[in-house]
Amino acid sequence: QSVLTQPPSVSGAPGQRVTISCTGSSSNFGVGYAVHWYQQLPGTAPKLLIYSNSNRPSGVPDRFSGSKSGTSASLAITGLQAEDEGDYYCQSYDNNLSGWVFGGGTKLTVL
Amino acid sequence: QVQLQESGPGLVKPSETLSLTCGASGYSISSGYYWGWLRQPAGKGLEWIGSVYHSGTTLYHPSLRSRVSISVDTSKNQFSLKLSSVTAADTAVYYCARHTPIYEYDSIGYASFDIWGRGTLVTVSS
């Protein structure tokens, strides 16, 4: 069981908006630690998508956005495209574990 | 362009030691950042294993600490992972990655993994 909780799957039609939630606790998000998001397309390594709650690395389209409030965070994808299909992971630091933790991942299906 | 490349045996026998190396190009490990190892069993999520700074400072996942050793060789611009007493549960794709903070004593609570290797599959089987 992951320290950060994500829904196993989400889906949406091309052009639609989807959100992926990530729920933490008082030992990670509640302390104020940042959330980061990764995109893992089939057969590839994870790629940093959003860092420090809401920042996009160079090259990441502005269709991807992130937010965090209290012990919850979310990733929003607008204008859904077929190439967005893959797995998405949230990540933070946890005081109880004294290490970096990931959510269990959410599989995005583009209908 | 910063790139990372994992290398090492793809098959390890149970009870033996898994050894992997990650070579960096396009960036000198001595210039900063932490350098980490993560793994992903087939069809499952990501797990952080441990990280090293070029000074030799190491951080390990508590559940793996007794079996893990990560070292750095700045002369070769590479860092290595050793995981002892492996079992089938250690079968996974192993990734090396660069992560913040850039400076050793900056806060690690806001770290993100910005550069990843392609990953290498390690199977534990006799």
Side-chain angles (χ1 to χ4, degrees), chain B residues 8 12 15 23 44 55 60 65 75-76 80 120 126:
Chain B
V12 181
S15 79
K44 296 188 178 181
S55 64
Y60 297 133
R65 183 174 289 127
S75 67
K76 295 182 178 180
S80 300
T120 186
S126 56

Side-chain angles (χ1 to χ4, degrees), chain A residues 33-44:
Chain A
Y33 292 141
V35 63
H36 317 287
W37 292 90
Y38 300 85
Q39 176 192 59
Q40 186 174 33
L41 301 177
T44 69

